[in-house]
């Protein structure tokens, strides 16, 4: 049993350095577009370095580990792509340009899955993680991956959304609605 | 054959005037809360309709100890009783001071459908589900039912348009959304998980439909472990992980009945559209109402004879438990997700490689409770 199962919580309590647990501060605002996690439609939990993300709107869910988890932890406070790239380059070793291209691709995936959305400037007051993430010595860069699961989307077919008409409420069942 | 206690049953009451708590509603919400006010207006209209149904069809009230609550089910008429009560029979209560009262009615008891929301009230309710923290409303489109929950008054309303058209499986797991709406306010969460256990505690068995939850739970039941449920359970993470039984039912396939032929005596309702059926257990098997959670297991059917436990991360088990639970429950969100993560952080978590030898499968589960 790991430490957390002996009573120490492994859950992210908020914005913190993923290694040291220290609360960190953002010294400057990023130059480019800033993104935030698309709450409340997107919910997420981090346990032992793995993030589990659920998009409540689409029924898809995701697992993020390694560099993907690092990126997600930075995005929890709101961050731009350039800022994320700088943090990864500081903490991971890799071929020049490799990190940037993979982060760009990963951001595109997160945006396409509606897991992150552009932030209004007023929404980003400070990011206590941001460029202070420190993994100690540099570790080999493994491209971030968004492991996607779609097997629960069928549950959304039971979506309770229902329209009202003059015949009363709820309406009669559509034919075949009980096929389950 | 010993029958289950029927302490919660009362004789049918004469058709009296509706009780005050049905017709006297609390003051409306803040004036600027248009949606909340509209929801409250509709809730008041619906409550009046339930009161009329009670007058027209007579009332029977039953009491159950579910989770940490005593819940009264107040039926207007008899139509819904055989759908709702069998799966809760093991939780019948002698306590008649409920924490929550749920009114249940249907078109046959009221003689008409629920009043149509007016333009003033349909603002939030045209798109259901709806919640403002005080009033929650969910229409289950596949069931053609309405769940209306008034948190301020600890009062729920369950409406079925046509009881005869409810799908066969509904009797196995009734009032799911109502229980979810009530218990999440008490930091107990309705999860898609089976549970079995012994004097040491319970194993929570998670995974989507077809993953082996039922088979594992039934194998354990046959091996003498206590049964808490095969598909849905109620859990709490703090102060210690704990699971409560919700339903004494099990949804099984023809194949399952061949594998566990002695369970056929509990077969009460055959599926109409698929080869699945409902079992309802009684005192002839060992059932527990609640146990501390000692392990969480995610079965994977291997086809091999032997079964074994493989330690897995809490995050892996969270992937198996959280989406299939949360996505079924309107209004569930970040707080529920965090509670499930907390629970999984506090107990050992395993992949259960489920083999074909049912006795060995049950022994493997039992081992993780030692």
């Amino acid at each position: 049993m790991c430490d957390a199962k002996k009573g120490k919580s492994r859950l992210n309590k908020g914005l913190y350095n993923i290694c040291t647990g220290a609360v960190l501060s953002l010294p400057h605002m990023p130059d480019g577009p800033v993104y935030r996690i698309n709450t409340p439609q997107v919910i997420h939990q981090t346990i032992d370095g793995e993030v589990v993300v659920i998009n409540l709107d689409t029924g898809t869910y995701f697992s993020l580990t390694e560099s993907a988890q690092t990126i997600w932890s930075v995005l929890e406070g709101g961050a731009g792509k350039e800022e994320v790239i700088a943090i990864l380059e500081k903490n991971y070793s890799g071929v020049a340009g490799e990190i940037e291209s993979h982060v760009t691709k990963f951001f595109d995936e997160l945006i396409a899955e509606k897991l992150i959305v552009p932030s209004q400037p007023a929404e980003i007051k400070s990011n206590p993680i941001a460029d202070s993430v420190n993994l100690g010595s540099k570790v080999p860069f493994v491209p971030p991956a968004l492991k996607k699961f779609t097997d629960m989307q069928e549950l959304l077919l039971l979506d309770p959304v229902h329209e009202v008409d003059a015949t009363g409420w709820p309406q009669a069942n559509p034919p075949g609605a009980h096929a389950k | 054959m010993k029958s289950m206690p029927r302490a919660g049953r009362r004789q049918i009451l004469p058709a009296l005037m509706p009780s005050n708590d049905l017709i006297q509603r609390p003051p409306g919400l803040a004036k600027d809360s248009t949606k909340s006010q509209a929801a409250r207006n509709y809730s008041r209209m619906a409550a009046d309709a339930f009161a009329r149904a009670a007058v027209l069809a007579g009332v029977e009230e039953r009491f159950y100890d579910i989770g940490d609550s005593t819940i009264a089910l107040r039926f207007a008429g008899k139509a819904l009783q055989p759908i709702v009560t069998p799966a809760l029979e093991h939780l019948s209560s002698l306590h008649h001071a409920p924490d929550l009262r749920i009114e249940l009615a249907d078109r046959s008891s009221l003689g008409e459908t629920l009043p149509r929301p007016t333009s003033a009230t349909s603002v939030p309710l045209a798109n259901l589900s709806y919640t403002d923290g005080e009033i929650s409303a969910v229409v289950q489109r596949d069931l053609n039912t309405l769940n209306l929950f008034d948190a301020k008054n600890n009062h729920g309303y369950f409406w079925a348009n046509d009881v005869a058209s409810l799908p066969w499986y509904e009797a196995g797991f009734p009032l799911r959304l109502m229980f979810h709406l009530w218990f999440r306010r008490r930091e107990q969460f309705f999860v898609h998980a089976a549970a079995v256990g012994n004097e040491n505690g319970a194993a929570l068995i998670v995974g989507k439909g077809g993953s082996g939850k039922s088979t594992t739970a039934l194998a354990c039941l046959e091996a003498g472990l206590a049964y808490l449920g095969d598909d849905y359970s109620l859990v709490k993470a703090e102060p210690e992980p704990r699971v409560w039984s919700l339903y004494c039912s099990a949804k099984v396939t023809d194949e399952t009945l061949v594998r566990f032929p002695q369970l056929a005596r509990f077969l009460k309702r055959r599926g109409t559209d698929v080869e699945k059926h409902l079992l309802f257990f009684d005192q002839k098997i060992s059932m527990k109402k609640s146990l501390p959670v000692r392990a969480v297991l995610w079965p994977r059917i291997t086809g091999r004879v032997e079964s074994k436990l493989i330690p897995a991360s809490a995050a892996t088990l969270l992937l198996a438990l959280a989406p299939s639970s949360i996505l079924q429950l309107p209004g569930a969100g970040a707080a529920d997700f965090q509670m499930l993560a907390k629970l999984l952080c506090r107990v050992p978590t395993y992949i259960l490689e489920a083999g074909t030898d049912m006795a060995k499968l049950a022994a493997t589960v039992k081992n993780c409770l030692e």
Side-chain angles (χ1 to χ4, degrees):
Chain A
M1 195 186 302
C2 66
D3 286 346
K5 292 181 180 182
K6 295 171 186 167
K8 297 177 185 175
S9 175
R10 291 170 293 166
L11 294 173
N12 278 358
K13 295 294 185 188
L15 304 173
Y16 74 113
N17 182 306
I18 58 174
C19 282
T20 66
V23 177
L24 306 166
S25 62
L26 179 66
H28 58 80
M29 294 297 289
D31 296 330
V34 173
Y35 292 88
R36 65 170 176 85
I37 294 169
N38 187 19
T39 55
Q41 300 95 313
V42 171
I43 58 177
H44 56 102
Q45 284 291 314
T46 303
I47 308 175
D48 282 351
E50 180 171 354
V51 190
V52 178
V53 181
I54 303 176
N55 185 330
L56 298 173
D57 281 347
T58 63
T60 48
Y61 59 106
F62 307 85
S63 166
L64 291 75
T65 57
E66 299 177 321
S67 62
Q69 189 264 330
T70 305
I71 294 170
W72 189 267
S73 72
V74 175
L75 284 167
E76 280 190 64
K81 191 172 67 180
E82 300 306 319
E83 188 179 9
V84 168
I85 290 168
I87 290 167
L88 293 191
E89 286 178 340
K90 185 173 146 188
N91 289 282
Y92 292 90
S93 59
V95 178
E98 181 189 24
I99 289 178
E100 180 175 352
S101 66
H102 283 293
V103 169
T104 298
K105 182 167 173 277
F106 188 63
F107 260 66
D108 289 344
E109 286 183 76
L110 294 176
I111 293 166
E113 296 291 347
K114 296 184 170 58
L115 300 183
I116 60 172
V117 290
S119 265
Q120 299 302 316
E123 294 179 303
I124 304 299
K125 295 187 172 69
S126 66
N127 184 340
I129 304 171
D131 63 352
S132 297
V133 169
N134 183 355
L135 301 180
S137 58
K138 282 192 175 186
V139 296
F141 178 68
V142 176
L146 190 61
K147 194 172 180 185
K148 178 179 176 181
F149 303 87
T150 59
D151 56 333
M152 292 296 156
Q153 285 180 322
E154 64 191 37
L155 295 178
L156 295 188
L157 298 177
L158 305 178
D159 191 331
V161 171
H162 200 62
E163 296 297 330
V164 174
D165 75 1
T167 61
W169 187 61
Q171 296 175 8
N173 237 2
H178 291 169
K180 181 183 177 186
Chain B
M1 169 179 162
K2 273 176 83 175
S3 61
M4 293 292 287
R6 307 297 287 263
R9 175 173 289 186
R10 279 183 176 177
Q11 64 182 14
I12 293 181
L13 303 173
L16 301 172
M17 289 301 291
S19 60
N20 283 343
D21 59 355
L22 276 178
I23 55 177
Q24 291 180 359
R25 312 303 303 175
L29 300 179
K31 287 180 182 175
D32 61 350
S33 182
T34 307
K35 289 185 176 181
S36 294
Q37 187 59 57
R40 182 158 297 286
N41 289 344
Y42 189 82
S43 173
R44 192 177 296 119
M45 275 203 303
D48 290 345
F50 275 75
R52 288 200 306 279
V55 170
L56 291 167
V59 171
E60 184 167 347
E61 196 164 39
R62 298 187 183 197
F63 296 84
Y64 301 91
D65 288 329
I66 305 173
D68 68 351
S69 304
T70 298
I71 296 176
L73 302 185
R74 192 168 186 264
F75 293 91
K78 289 180 171 294
L80 277 168
Q81 292 181 38
I83 303 294
V84 173
T85 60
L88 301 172
E89 204 60 54
H90 65 309
L91 303 176
S92 286
S93 174
L94 292 168
H95 303 110
H96 287 183
D99 303 295
L100 168 69
R101 175 169 276 117
I102 301 174
E103 314 277 345
L104 302 100
D106 66 291
R107 193 169 52 192
S108 72
S109 59
L110 182 60
E112 57 185 282
T113 58
L114 277 183
R116 174 181 173 237
T118 66
S119 57
T121 62
S122 63
V123 176
L125 298 174
N127 292 311
L128 297 176
S129 61
Y130 166 81
T131 185
D132 58 23
E134 230 178 87
I135 300 292
S136 300
V138 183
V139 168
Q140 290 168 281
R141 191 170 189 171
D142 59 325
L143 306 181
N144 213 7
T145 57
L146 164 69
N147 300 265
L148 192 61
F149 178 60
D150 178 347
K152 189 170 183 179
N153 292 291
N154 299 333
H155 219 122
Y157 303 91
F158 178 82
W159 170 270
N161 239 21
D162 181 7
V163 174
S165 72
L166 288 174
W168 63 272
Y169 53 80
E170 188 59 17
F173 318 99
L175 300 177
R176 295 184 296 282
L177 296 187
M178 199 64 80
F179 292 154
H180 158 64
L181 293 170
W182 168 254
F183 283 109
R184 74 187 300 263
R185 295 174 62 83
R186 304 171 79 85
E187 297 184 337
Q188 293 160 66
F189 194 73
F190 190 98
V191 289
H192 190 204
V196 293
N198 58 21
E199 66 281 1
N200 295 327
L204 204 60
I205 305 164
V206 306
K208 63 180 181 178
S211 63
K213 289 194 305 294
S214 283
T215 300
T216 305
L218 295 176
C220 292
L221 184 158
E222 281 229 310
L225 287 176
Y227 183 86
L228 289 90
D230 93 315
D231 214 15
Y232 297 102
S233 304
L234 194 65
V235 299
K236 188 170 186 172
E238 294 176 321
E240 66 165 357
R242 192 160 194 91
V243 59
W244 285 266
S245 174
L246 282 168
Y247 305 117
C248 61
S249 56
K251 192 162 65 175
V252 298
T253 62
D254 287 337
E255 185 185 349
T256 311
L257 288 176
V258 170
R259 184 175 287 150
F260 305 106
Q262 55 282 32
L263 296 183
R265 61 194 162 130
F266 297 108
L267 177 59
K268 298 284 170 53
R269 190 178 280 256
R270 288 190 177 276
T272 53
D273 52 354
V274 290
E275 293 172 341
K276 280 196 169 185
H277 317 289
L278 285 177
L279 310 180
F280 291 92
F281 299 120
D282 56 31
Q283 283 182 325
K284 283 178 286 192
I285 69 155
S286 171
M287 285 189 279
K288 290 279 187 187
K289 291 183 178 179
S290 180
L291 287 171
V293 178
R294 296 297 181 223
V296 183
L297 317 178
W298 183 10
R300 286 183 184 168
I301 297 169
T302 63
R304 295 190 290 271
V305 174
E306 304 292 329
S307 295
K308 69 175 176 181
L309 293 169
I310 300 173
S313 71
T316 299
L317 272 287
L318 190 62
L319 282 167
L321 174 62
S324 73
S325 298
I326 288 173
L327 291 170
Q328 294 191 44
L329 300 169
D336 310 279
F337 198 18
Q338 185 179 39
M339 193 282 288
L340 294 181
K342 275 184 184 172
L343 186 153
L344 291 169
C345 281
R346 292 177 177 186
V347 293
T349 43
Y350 300 98
I351 301 288
L352 169 61
E353 288 194 347
T356 55
D357 185 315
M358 294 296 105
K360 290 180 177 175
L361 173 60
T364 304
V365 174
K366 200 172 178 181
N367 281 344
C368 76
L369 299 175
E370 297 302 324

